[in-house]
Each structure stands twice: as structure tokens, then as C-alpha cells.
Amino acid sequence: MKVAVYPGSFDPITNGHLDIIKRGAKVFDKIIVAVLVNIDKKCLFEINERVELIKKVTSNIDNIEVVSFSGLLMNFLKENNANVILKGLRTTYDFEYELQMAFMNNELDSSIETICMMTSQKNLHISSSAVKQVARFGGNIEGLVPKEIVSDIMTRINI
Ligand code: PNS
């Protein structure tokens, strides 16, 4: 069984993330969306909230699991009998960042592969931080994040 872990902060999940999850779920037997408990990053949503938002928008996908993790990603993979790290790539900036992380993870365990999936063109400009910035300054985030969570984000931003 090919299990891929799709890790990230997901603060919040965007249409770009959801697209990679849906496409990944067709390629792998199971996708584990692993949400990082960021200790040194100030997040808009708490860890359990980020997990719940992802669950809310992926409830129609059978072969996925959404969980939180802390510490090294490689340890999480081993604990979950997964052998692939799934990542999404948008620009060359992502490529540099992902290449460095893939090399580091390969150094830690060379039996695990990092597989990058190209973003869908319509999502090239979407990132969680851009979504938060647009929302903070009163812009429209519909089309950037799944519609079911637009109000969760706007409510939190306006607190
Ligand atoms: O969505 P993000 O914040 O770009 O995701 C980054 C993430 C979670 C993939 C990365 O920070 C990570 O894997 N963190 C776990 C710590 C770890 O394993 N570090 C070693 C590899 S560089």
C-alpha cells in the first residue's frame, strides 16, 4: 500500500492545497495530511482548528486522514508506515525551498522519497499568507479557499 504524507502548516488550507490533496488521492492508496504544530510561528488558527478546517473540506474524499504532528517529519512517516512525502510546487522559490528540505530529509532517511506535484495553473498565485493578507485588508477571498471555510477565516480575521 502506497501511503503519502502531505505535510504543511495549513494556516489555513487553500484551494491550492485542496487541489494537491485531491490529485494525490488519485495517485496514492492513502494520503495523510500532516499539520505541523508550529512552535515558533504565530498562526491564525490553533492546531486543532486547522485540522478541523481541512476535515471539513475533505469529507468527500475516502482515502485521506488528517492529523497533527510535531517534531521531525521523518519520524512521523516511520510511525505511520509511509514512504512518500507529497509536496506541491508553484514557483522556482518553492523549488529552492523544497529541494533543500528534500535533501535534508533524504540525509535523515534515504528510503523515503519526496514527490512534488505541479500546482494547477489557476492556483499559482495562492498561498495561505496571501489569503490572510487579502482578508485582513477587506479583499475577497472567495476562489482562493474552499467556500465552506470563507466565513471561518473572515470571522477570525475580524476578531
Ligand atoms: O506549510 P509549510 O509551513 O511550508 O510546511 C513546512 C513543513 C511542515 C513541511 C516543514 O517545516 C517540516 O517538515 N517540518 C518538520 C520538521 C522537520 O522534519 N525538519 C527537517 C526537514 S527540513
Side-chain angles (χ1 to χ4, degrees), residues 13-48:
I13 183 168
T14 66
N15 280 346
H17 294 132
L18 186 56
D19 175 60
I20 298 289
I21 292 171
K22 284 181 180 168
R23 287 162 57 205
K26 289 184 192 156
V27 175
F28 297 98
D29 297 312
K30 182 179 168 185
I31 301 281
I32 305 177
V33 182
V35 188
L36 179 69
V37 179
N38 312 52
I39 33 174
D40 28 57
K41 204 164 159 186
K42 175 93 186 80
C43 287
L44 180 64
F45 291 99
E46 299 294 336
I47 183 65
N48 58 326

Short mmCIF file of all heavy atoms in Angstrom, two decimals, residues 13-48:
data_model
loop_
_atom_site.label_atom_id
_atom_site.label_comp_id
_atom_site.label_asym_id
_atom_site.label_seq_id
_atom_site.Cartn_x
_atom_site.Cartn_y
_atom_site.Cartn_z
N ILE A 13 -5.97 26.08 5.14
CA ILE A 13 -5.94 25.32 3.88
C ILE A 13 -6.47 26.23 2.77
O ILE A 13 -7.41 27.00 2.98
CB ILE A 13 -6.76 24.01 3.98
CG1 ILE A 13 -6.63 23.22 2.67
CG2 ILE A 13 -8.22 24.26 4.35
CD1 ILE A 13 -7.17 21.80 2.75
N THR A 14 -5.85 26.12 1.58
CA THR A 14 -6.28 26.93 0.42
C THR A 14 -6.76 26.00 -0.70
O THR A 14 -6.61 24.78 -0.61
CB THR A 14 -5.08 27.74 -0.14
OG1 THR A 14 -4.14 26.80 -0.68
CG2 THR A 14 -4.43 28.61 0.91
N ASN A 15 -7.25 26.63 -1.77
CA ASN A 15 -7.65 25.83 -2.93
C ASN A 15 -6.45 25.13 -3.56
O ASN A 15 -6.59 24.08 -4.17
CB ASN A 15 -8.33 26.73 -3.98
CG ASN A 15 -9.77 26.99 -3.62
OD1 ASN A 15 -10.34 26.31 -2.76
ND2 ASN A 15 -10.37 27.99 -4.25
N GLY A 16 -5.27 25.73 -3.42
CA GLY A 16 -4.05 25.10 -3.93
C GLY A 16 -3.76 23.81 -3.19
O GLY A 16 -3.49 22.77 -3.80
N HIS A 17 -3.84 23.86 -1.85
CA HIS A 17 -3.62 22.65 -1.04
C HIS A 17 -4.66 21.58 -1.41
O HIS A 17 -4.33 20.41 -1.58
CB HIS A 17 -3.81 22.95 0.46
CG HIS A 17 -2.79 23.88 1.05
ND1 HIS A 17 -3.13 24.95 1.84
CD2 HIS A 17 -1.43 23.87 1.00
CE1 HIS A 17 -2.03 25.56 2.26
NE2 HIS A 17 -0.98 24.93 1.75
N LEU A 18 -5.93 22.01 -1.47
CA LEU A 18 -7.02 21.05 -1.70
C LEU A 18 -6.84 20.34 -3.05
O LEU A 18 -7.09 19.14 -3.18
CB LEU A 18 -8.37 21.77 -1.62
CG LEU A 18 -9.60 20.88 -1.70
CD1 LEU A 18 -9.60 19.80 -0.63
CD2 LEU A 18 -10.88 21.72 -1.59
N ASP A 19 -6.39 21.09 -4.03
CA ASP A 19 -6.15 20.52 -5.37
C ASP A 19 -5.06 19.43 -5.30
O ASP A 19 -5.23 18.35 -5.87
CB ASP A 19 -5.73 21.66 -6.31
CG ASP A 19 -5.33 21.16 -7.68
OD1 ASP A 19 -6.18 20.56 -8.35
OD2 ASP A 19 -4.17 21.39 -8.09
N ILE A 20 -3.99 19.70 -4.57
CA ILE A 20 -2.91 18.70 -4.44
C ILE A 20 -3.44 17.47 -3.69
O ILE A 20 -3.16 16.33 -4.07
CB ILE A 20 -1.68 19.30 -3.72
CG1 ILE A 20 -1.08 20.48 -4.50
CG2 ILE A 20 -0.62 18.21 -3.45
CD1 ILE A 20 -0.38 20.15 -5.80
N ILE A 21 -4.24 17.69 -2.65
CA ILE A 21 -4.80 16.57 -1.88
C ILE A 21 -5.67 15.69 -2.80
O ILE A 21 -5.53 14.47 -2.83
CB ILE A 21 -5.63 17.08 -0.68
CG1 ILE A 21 -4.73 17.75 0.36
CG2 ILE A 21 -6.44 15.93 -0.05
CD1 ILE A 21 -5.46 18.48 1.47
N LYS A 22 -6.56 16.34 -3.56
CA LYS A 22 -7.48 15.58 -4.44
C LYS A 22 -6.71 14.81 -5.50
O LYS A 22 -7.00 13.64 -5.78
CB LYS A 22 -8.46 16.53 -5.13
CG LYS A 22 -9.57 17.02 -4.22
CD LYS A 22 -10.49 17.94 -5.01
CE LYS A 22 -11.62 18.44 -4.13
NZ LYS A 22 -12.35 19.54 -4.76
N ARG A 23 -5.72 15.46 -6.11
CA ARG A 23 -4.95 14.78 -7.16
C ARG A 23 -4.06 13.70 -6.56
O ARG A 23 -3.92 12.61 -7.12
CB ARG A 23 -4.13 15.81 -7.95
CG ARG A 23 -5.02 16.67 -8.86
CD ARG A 23 -4.34 17.96 -9.30
NE ARG A 23 -3.08 17.72 -9.97
CZ ARG A 23 -2.07 18.62 -10.02
NH1 ARG A 23 -2.20 19.80 -9.44
NH2 ARG A 23 -0.96 18.33 -10.65
N GLY A 24 -3.51 13.98 -5.38
CA GLY A 24 -2.67 12.98 -4.69
C GLY A 24 -3.48 11.76 -4.32
O GLY A 24 -2.99 10.62 -4.40
N ALA A 25 -4.73 11.96 -3.94
CA ALA A 25 -5.59 10.84 -3.52
C ALA A 25 -5.89 9.90 -4.68
O ALA A 25 -6.29 8.75 -4.47
CB ALA A 25 -6.88 11.39 -2.91
N LYS A 26 -5.70 10.39 -5.91
CA LYS A 26 -5.91 9.52 -7.08
C LYS A 26 -4.65 8.72 -7.41
O LYS A 26 -4.70 7.69 -8.06
CB LYS A 26 -6.27 10.37 -8.31
CG LYS A 26 -7.67 10.96 -8.21
CD LYS A 26 -8.00 11.71 -9.49
CE LYS A 26 -9.25 12.54 -9.32
NZ LYS A 26 -9.30 13.65 -10.26
N VAL A 27 -3.50 9.24 -6.96
CA VAL A 27 -2.22 8.61 -7.29
C VAL A 27 -1.80 7.59 -6.22
O VAL A 27 -1.24 6.55 -6.53
CB VAL A 27 -1.12 9.70 -7.46
CG1 VAL A 27 0.25 9.07 -7.67
CG2 VAL A 27 -1.46 10.64 -8.60
N PHE A 28 -2.10 7.93 -4.95
CA PHE A 28 -1.68 7.07 -3.84
C PHE A 28 -2.88 6.35 -3.23
O PHE A 28 -4.02 6.80 -3.36
CB PHE A 28 -0.96 7.92 -2.77
CG PHE A 28 0.30 8.54 -3.29
CD1 PHE A 28 0.31 9.86 -3.74
CD2 PHE A 28 1.47 7.81 -3.38
CE1 PHE A 28 1.47 10.44 -4.26
CE2 PHE A 28 2.64 8.37 -3.90
CZ PHE A 28 2.63 9.69 -4.33
N ASP A 29 -2.58 5.23 -2.53
CA ASP A 29 -3.67 4.48 -1.89
C ASP A 29 -4.25 5.27 -0.73
O ASP A 29 -5.44 5.20 -0.44
CB ASP A 29 -3.14 3.13 -1.38
CG ASP A 29 -2.65 2.27 -2.53
OD1 ASP A 29 -3.40 2.15 -3.51
OD2 ASP A 29 -1.52 1.77 -2.46
N LYS A 30 -3.36 6.01 -0.06
CA LYS A 30 -3.84 6.80 1.08
C LYS A 30 -2.98 8.07 1.21
O LYS A 30 -1.76 8.01 1.01
CB LYS A 30 -3.72 5.96 2.35
CG LYS A 30 -4.24 6.66 3.59
CD LYS A 30 -4.10 5.74 4.78
CE LYS A 30 -4.32 6.46 6.07
NZ LYS A 30 -4.07 5.59 7.22
N ILE A 31 -3.64 9.18 1.54
CA ILE A 31 -2.92 10.43 1.81
C ILE A 31 -3.13 10.77 3.28
O ILE A 31 -4.28 10.81 3.75
CB ILE A 31 -3.48 11.61 0.98
CG1 ILE A 31 -3.40 11.35 -0.52
CG2 ILE A 31 -2.80 12.93 1.35
CD1 ILE A 31 -2.06 11.57 -1.15
N ILE A 32 -2.03 11.01 3.99
CA ILE A 32 -2.16 11.52 5.36
C ILE A 32 -1.78 13.00 5.32
O ILE A 32 -0.64 13.34 4.99
CB ILE A 32 -1.24 10.77 6.35
CG1 ILE A 32 -1.49 9.26 6.31
CG2 ILE A 32 -1.43 11.32 7.76
CD1 ILE A 32 -0.56 8.45 7.21
N VAL A 33 -2.74 13.85 5.58
CA VAL A 33 -2.44 15.28 5.65
C VAL A 33 -1.93 15.54 7.08
O VAL A 33 -2.64 15.30 8.06
CB VAL A 33 -3.70 16.14 5.37
CG1 VAL A 33 -3.36 17.62 5.40
CG2 VAL A 33 -4.31 15.77 4.02
N ALA A 34 -0.66 15.95 7.15
CA ALA A 34 0.00 16.10 8.46
C ALA A 34 0.20 17.59 8.75
O ALA A 34 0.95 18.28 8.06
CB ALA A 34 1.34 15.37 8.43
N VAL A 35 -0.50 18.07 9.75
CA VAL A 35 -0.50 19.51 10.06
C VAL A 35 0.51 19.78 11.17
O VAL A 35 0.41 19.21 12.27
CB VAL A 35 -1.91 19.97 10.50
CG1 VAL A 35 -1.97 21.48 10.63
CG2 VAL A 35 -2.97 19.46 9.52
N LEU A 36 1.48 20.63 10.84
CA LEU A 36 2.58 20.88 11.78
C LEU A 36 2.13 21.75 12.95
O LEU A 36 1.52 22.80 12.76
CB LEU A 36 3.74 21.56 11.06
CG LEU A 36 4.95 21.90 11.92
CD1 LEU A 36 5.68 20.64 12.37
CD2 LEU A 36 5.92 22.82 11.19
N VAL A 37 2.46 21.29 14.15
CA VAL A 37 2.26 22.12 15.35
C VAL A 37 3.43 23.10 15.36
O VAL A 37 4.53 22.74 15.75
CB VAL A 37 2.28 21.25 16.63
CG1 VAL A 37 2.09 22.10 17.87
CG2 VAL A 37 1.25 20.13 16.55
N ASN A 38 3.20 24.31 14.86
CA ASN A 38 4.32 25.27 14.74
C ASN A 38 4.57 25.93 16.09
O ASN A 38 3.72 26.65 16.59
CB ASN A 38 4.01 26.39 13.74
CG ASN A 38 3.44 25.88 12.43
OD1 ASN A 38 2.48 25.12 12.42
ND2 ASN A 38 4.02 26.30 11.35
N ILE A 39 5.75 25.68 16.62
CA ILE A 39 6.03 26.27 17.93
C ILE A 39 6.56 27.69 17.80
O ILE A 39 6.33 28.51 18.67
CB ILE A 39 6.99 25.41 18.78
CG1 ILE A 39 8.00 24.69 17.88
CG2 ILE A 39 6.24 24.44 19.68
CD1 ILE A 39 9.07 23.94 18.59
N ASP A 40 7.25 27.97 16.68
CA ASP A 40 7.81 29.32 16.59
C ASP A 40 7.12 30.19 15.54
O ASP A 40 7.64 31.20 15.16
CB ASP A 40 9.34 29.32 16.37
CG ASP A 40 9.83 28.09 15.67
OD1 ASP A 40 9.36 27.81 14.56
OD2 ASP A 40 10.65 27.40 16.27
N LYS A 41 5.96 29.81 15.10
CA LYS A 41 5.23 30.60 14.10
C LYS A 41 3.89 31.00 14.71
O LYS A 41 3.19 30.15 15.28
CB LYS A 41 5.02 29.71 12.87
CG LYS A 41 4.81 30.44 11.57
CD LYS A 41 5.01 29.44 10.42
CE LYS A 41 4.37 29.87 9.14
NZ LYS A 41 4.45 28.82 8.11
N LYS A 42 3.54 32.27 14.61
CA LYS A 42 2.25 32.72 15.14
C LYS A 42 1.20 32.41 14.09
O LYS A 42 1.21 32.94 12.99
CB LYS A 42 2.33 34.23 15.41
CG LYS A 42 1.03 34.87 15.85
CD LYS A 42 0.86 34.93 17.36
CE LYS A 42 -0.52 35.44 17.74
NZ LYS A 42 -1.59 34.43 17.66
N CYS A 43 0.29 31.48 14.43
CA CYS A 43 -0.71 31.05 13.46
C CYS A 43 -2.06 31.74 13.72
O CYS A 43 -2.38 32.08 14.86
CB CYS A 43 -0.89 29.54 13.52
SG CYS A 43 0.50 28.66 12.81
N LEU A 44 -2.82 31.92 12.64
CA LEU A 44 -4.16 32.49 12.76
C LEU A 44 -5.08 31.49 13.45
O LEU A 44 -5.90 31.85 14.29
CB LEU A 44 -4.68 32.82 11.35
CG LEU A 44 -6.07 33.43 11.24
CD1 LEU A 44 -6.12 34.81 11.91
CD2 LEU A 44 -6.48 33.55 9.78
N PHE A 45 -4.92 30.20 13.10
CA PHE A 45 -5.76 29.15 13.69
C PHE A 45 -4.90 28.21 14.55
O PHE A 45 -3.77 27.89 14.18
CB PHE A 45 -6.43 28.32 12.59
CG PHE A 45 -7.49 29.08 11.82
CD1 PHE A 45 -7.20 29.65 10.59
CD2 PHE A 45 -8.76 29.25 12.34
CE1 PHE A 45 -8.16 30.37 9.89
CE2 PHE A 45 -9.74 29.95 11.65
CZ PHE A 45 -9.43 30.52 10.42
N GLU A 46 -5.48 27.79 15.67
CA GLU A 46 -4.82 26.80 16.53
C GLU A 46 -4.72 25.48 15.77
O GLU A 46 -5.48 25.25 14.81
CB GLU A 46 -5.65 26.55 17.81
CG GLU A 46 -5.84 27.78 18.69
CD GLU A 46 -4.54 28.27 19.30
OE1 GLU A 46 -3.60 27.46 19.43
OE2 GLU A 46 -4.45 29.46 19.60
N ILE A 47 -3.87 24.60 16.27
CA ILE A 47 -3.62 23.34 15.56
C ILE A 47 -4.91 22.51 15.34
O ILE A 47 -5.18 22.05 14.22
CB ILE A 47 -2.51 22.50 16.26
CG1 ILE A 47 -2.22 21.24 15.49
CG2 ILE A 47 -2.80 22.21 17.71
CD1 ILE A 47 -1.63 21.44 14.13
N ASN A 48 -5.73 22.39 16.40
CA ASN A 48 -6.95 21.58 16.25
C ASN A 48 -7.94 22.23 15.28
O ASN A 48 -8.67 21.55 14.56
CB ASN A 48 -7.61 21.30 17.61
CG ASN A 48 -7.96 22.57 18.34
OD1 ASN A 48 -7.25 23.58 18.24
ND2 ASN A 48 -9.06 22.56 19.08
#
